[in-house]
Amino acid sequence: MTSKFPTKLLGTAAIASLLLALPALGQDAPAEVVEPAVEATATPEWALIFNTLLFLIGGFLVMWMAAGFAMLEAGLVRTKNVSMQCLKNIALYSVAGIMFWVTGYSLMYTGVDGGFIGSFGPYGFPAPGADTGEAGYSVASDWFFQMVFCATTASIVSGTLAERIKIWPFMLFTVILTGFIYPIAGSWQWGGGWLSEMGFSDFAGSTLVHSVGGWAALAGVLLLGARKGKYNADGTVNAITGSSIPLATLGMFILWLGWFGFNGASQLAMGTIADAGDVSRIFANTNMAAAAGAVAAMIVTQLMYKKIDVTMVINGALAGLVSITAEPLMPSMPIALLIGAVGGVIVVFVVPLLDRLKIDDVVGAIPVHLVCGIWGTLIVPLSNPDTNYGTQIVGILAYGVFTFVVSGIVWFIIKMVIGMRASEEEEEMGLDMAEVGVEAYPEFK
Amino acid sequence: MTSKFPTKLLGTAAIASLLLALPALGQDAPAEVVEPAVEATATPEWALIFNTLLFLIGGFLVMWMAAGFAMLEAGLVRTKNVSMQCLKNIALYSVAGIMFWVTGYSLMYTGVDGGFIGSFGPYGFPAPGADTGEAGYSVASDWFFQMVFCATTASIVSGTLAERIKIWPFMLFTVILTGFIYPIAGSWQWGGGWLSEMGFSDFAGSTLVHSVGGWAALAGVLLLGARKGKYNADGTVNAITGSSIPLATLGMFILWLGWFGFNGASQLAMGTIADAGDVSRIFANTNMAAAAGAVAAMIVTQLMYKKIDVTMVINGALAGLVSITAEPLMPSMPIALLIGAVGGVIVVFVVPLLDRLKIDDVVGAIPVHLVCGIWGTLIVPLSNPDTNYGTQIVGILAYGVFTFVVSGIVWFIIKMVIGMRASEEEEEMGLDMAEVGVEAYPEFK
Amino acid sequence: MTSKFPTKLLGTAAIASLLLALPALGQDAPAEVVEPAVEATATPEWALIFNTLLFLIGGFLVMWMAAGFAMLEAGLVRTKNVSMQCLKNIALYSVAGIMFWVTGYSLMYTGVDGGFIGSFGPYGFPAPGADTGEAGYSVASDWFFQMVFCATTASIVSGTLAERIKIWPFMLFTVILTGFIYPIAGSWQWGGGWLSEMGFSDFAGSTLVHSVGGWAALAGVLLLGARKGKYNADGTVNAITGSSIPLATLGMFILWLGWFGFNGASQLAMGTIADAGDVSRIFANTNMAAAAGAVAAMIVTQLMYKKIDVTMVINGALAGLVSITAEPLMPSMPIALLIGAVGGVIVVFVVPLLDRLKIDDVVGAIPVHLVCGIWGTLIVPLSNPDTNYGTQIVGILAYGVFTFVVSGIVWFIIKMVIGMRASEEEEEMGLDMAEVGVEAYPEFK
């Protein structure tokens, strides 16, 4: 019943905005084209190109993480919801790209100046051939790199809410998250806002990306409720197994690969051998933390359960990656190993804990991205002497409170106005039949 | 019955040519080695290396698209033809690589000089250590990059004809397409032939690659006919659903990723910050068009069908990518968005249209690659003032007539001499059992 | 019964070593930080960055091969062992990364000096910002690139022993292989040891990586025995088909893609246009050999069996890749084609040969990596005039004897002390239920 209203509304709104926006936005930003930079900087041209290349390579690696989340989630939901999970991941990546142009980049990076928010409006590039590199890199390469981070945040939400949220409410939240919540929160630190002035440190986004996604997911799942049949009245939990372990494994490997771009290119420069050395060091530390997370999860699950649940190992590796993301440069390798290993252990303990709290996080995104995002951010001062635990905690709390409260309000409004959740019958038959109309594996019954 | 003849013929011919060719071709091209370039150009060495690196990175990204097509098609055919689709995609990528060396590169790029065809013969590189970069980049990196484009063209054909064409007729056509049709047609524009002199513009190949693949597929499907059971005598259509939506989704993400190389590296240079900026701009526009195609397809399918067919969204994203390929540099972001969105809408309308015409295109390659290839090429003058609609139409028609007619003749000869189509029984049992002997999912029944 | 003992032992040992190691290893290597390089070399900074970038790009491509092996093996085992194969591939990649830091890199590259082994101890990087590039590249990028090669060696073993080896014995062997066997053997050639002084040549590791992995697998499989039901008492062989051809195909494409990094970045430098040209040439030759391997396997299987077994074509492509790896630079394209094609033919003949010998190699890793590794190494002098067949044979034998004997001893000890093989009941039910506790495809029955 309610489904027609938001659909039409959304469709009309989307098309209308597109048409309205086109004439106004048909030109590139002229200002940045005119001034020819006059060699204001002594940076050699090749250094500008290396910096740009770092953003482009890092950017396509992080873009590839969208496929990683899609495969991870497709593998961890039941067959009847796999097409939906694929659809959501394509759609959220697409919407993130559009919204980060419409409002995101400007809100996050333009005119923040120690404050709480940037400016409002779509973003324009230098005209073709006109980028002089005065920013130290190509402007468009920076946009691309920052955009894929925004998309990652949205990906995190998708997994937690799987198997019972309807598509359009999810997409509506994604529009708000990628166009407003993430960019505004991000402006506080990476946009040069108040937290960055205070000395908070989050190198590649344990907090800015991963825990923001996690908080948004947590707010959503509290309003959405658990899947039918997950928790019994007597307090016991029914394990709902994923449909394809190899797809989940593939997703994890894609994410691991993409993370070299995520962390490595967050060095933001490789126009000197010192920067290139730091990027390399980040690659090594990132890999080490992921490896430690996986091995730690293996050992702990073997000791606790006498078997090695491969989904725990998958999440252990991801936990290691999230944990090292707040500071992948400074740690020595043993410290990177430690940070990742603790992440892997956290996952093994937090996954059942959430179930005890009846928080039904389908893919384990909250333990991995939220809890390990906090852990990684908290432990930065262990290896980075320019930071302190107090400020790290302030930052963690600021992001937590803001994202959780605003996301909660947005989810609440969505729930009240158009509804979030599929009906019991739809959930039973699966969202693939209910909303996609295409079964993921029609011949496998 | 007929299967033995072509097989033996092909096998013998292939081995014989290999043996004959070896002594004659055992040396590298000596001419390019001797002259040591004597700094004939002022281009700094690092610029030559950046250009080379762009080709190599772009090249491996486009190579990866072969996996994308394989997964997309494996996901969209029925389980009984999945092994065959995998085999064809491995084989066509391999054959394209060999043929583009044997004849392709020379036909396309050597001595075209405003004409209709290059020269004939295999291609040789500078000896190890002897590439002086006088071309502005490493010669072998350029070969590699152009080769993967040739392979892409062949990939497009594979999907349309799936589930009923036999392997060896398909491979024979692939040999002709990658060794002759694509390179000759390509020489007209990228080889510096008559169309390029006339002012036709096709930046990364909406027409040269995608519509050429689409025309070849169309000629093939008209001679091959629809799958058994697809169209009923009463004019109704049976939907034949694909075997795995997540594999199709994975394929789409791989293609999206690869397209950054496809379009980005078609800038052909990143040895200046201006070029690097343009490559970056292309990344952003390419992503935007794909996103718009996906979102447009989502909205339109929701409005038309009340559900969101994820295969339409997959093809919508690909449609956006094909549409922006003819001019990914000049459009501002809103124009890129528009071009991609129209592509997405085209797909939603053309897919059922083809079914009304009883053209059974298994994966939707004709709407995506042919129709959107035409759309993208046609709309270039909207953002590129150096082009005009008239010349664009001439180019589109020239490629269409040439490819469709020549492909039609080749397919017709193949059909007459060795046959194209599996027998009814083979089609019924599936090509995996009939020709591969290996089921894709033997345990899933 | 025995499973508790090694588990606890391993778990405790791992945690203990971690804790013990941390204080001692918490600092970066100070020596390399102090000296500021004083421009000891005339190499321009951009050349150092290009070299570093080559290692990073090559490194992430080879890292991605871990996913390739995982998908290849997941596709080629039965559904009941798929989760285990995923687990093993995540775990071995993780362990390889850790061990190559703990002992591997130093054993392989530090102070070998024409000898048989390097030094002992974990590896430290320059402090952040302190890499001056005096090595010609960033030290950490080199570590990362060499580490992923070590992981590749371990991946090879995993496939051969699939479906009946238990997880912890396998992991224990992986620790020894990646921490000791591979690095010590590698030191002889790439570490500047005795074989390199003798003039042995193995550009990217046909012998050092692929045949070492193959020998270790062979030693293991001889002690492990064949899967239940593979070989009948009357000498006939039961074909055991893989669970998913598209996953195996995906794995192959991932490996093919990764191989551009494997071979291309083994040039170890792209700071001159000559080096960049050589990297490009390697890309082209690598692709050509893989293509030839695939096509040769197609033709031979068609001629021999009247059908084209796609798993043979997959292994044919991989065989071509392994074959060209010992010398991907010097061959002209026809020679690269020949080397790869012979590799493809080898696979078609050696796979059934192993079955006749009752060596049950689940994925064909021995034909592909061991036999083609030998072939590729042997044929180097055909195109590289600085090598000779005698020294190549010495190298092949040295690696074979050392790896086979030491691996055999290690496997034997493991077998005696904790056992290698799952019980008959466990093998029957599948390792996923027995040791992982998670079925790969719980809904597909």
Side-chain angles (χ1 to χ4, degrees), chain B residues 341-359:
Chain B
V342 171
V345 173
I346 285 173
V347 158
V348 179
F349 286 97
V350 175
V351 165
L353 179 68
L354 283 183
D355 271 339
R356 243 171 334 221
L357 298 170
K358 296 195 192 306
I359 295 172

Side-chain angles (χ1 to χ4, degrees), chain B residues 20 34 64 125 133 137 168 266 273 327 384 395:
Chain B
L20 285 170
V34 180
W64 183 225
F125 297 148
Y137 44 76
W168 288 108
S266 288
I273 182 63
E327 185 48 273
N384 186 339

Side-chain angles (χ1 to χ4, degrees), chain A residues 46 50 53-54 57 60-61 64 77-80 241-247 249-250 252-254 256-257 260 270-285 287-288 290-292 294-295 298-300 302-303 306-311 313-314 317 329-335 337-338 341 441 444-445, chain C residues 4 7-8 11 14-15 18 22 25-28 45-46 48-50 52-53 56-57 60 63-64 66-67 70-71 74 82-83 86-87 89-91 93-95 97-98 101 123 125-129 131-133 137-138 140-141 143-144 147 167-168 171 247 250 254 433-445:
Chain A
W46 51 260
F50 276 124
L53 192 55
L54 181 68
I57 295 174
F60 76 64
L61 287 174
W64 183 226
V77 301
R78 287 165 293 180
T79 52
K80 65 183 177 182
T241 50
S243 53
S244 173
I245 295 301
L247 285 188
T249 303
L250 176 64
M252 184 225 65
F253 272 118
I254 294 175
W256 194 325
L257 170 61
F260 294 116
M270 63 177 294
T272 64
I273 182 64
D275 275 323
D278 284 356
V279 173
S280 308
R281 190 181 164 96
I282 292 169
F283 269 54
N285 275 342
N287 195 75
M288 197 55 97
V295 170
M298 270 184 85
I299 293 171
V300 176
Q302 173 72 48
L303 294 176
K306 312 291 171 218
K307 295 198 175 174
I308 308 175
D309 181 341
V310 63
T311 65
V313 180
I314 288 171
L329 172 62
M330 297 300 293
S332 62
M333 276 185 140
I335 300 294
L337 204 62
L338 174 73
Y441 305 103
F444 304 99
K445 300 259 183 171
Chain C
K4 280 179 191 166
T7 307
K8 279 198 182 152
I15 292 169
L18 197 64
L22 278 171
L25 306 173
Q27 284 85 37
D28 294 300
E45 190 167 22
W46 50 261
L48 303 174
I49 302 174
F50 275 124
T52 300
L53 192 56
L56 293 180
I57 295 174
F60 76 64
M63 175 272 163
W64 183 225
M71 293 302 106
V82 169
S83 291
C86 291
L87 172 61
N89 276 281
I90 303 170
Y93 178 75
S94 300
V95 163
I98 296 171
W101 163 66
Y123 195 68
F125 297 149
D131 195 323
T132 56
Y137 45 76
S138 145
S141 71
W143 180 87
F144 180 68
M147 179 274 291
I167 177 76
W168 288 108
M171 293 317 301
L247 285 187
L250 176 65
I254 294 174
M433 291 308 294
E435 294 205 291
V436 182
V438 176
E439 287 179 283
Y441 305 103
E443 297 177 68
F444 305 97
K445 302 258 182 173

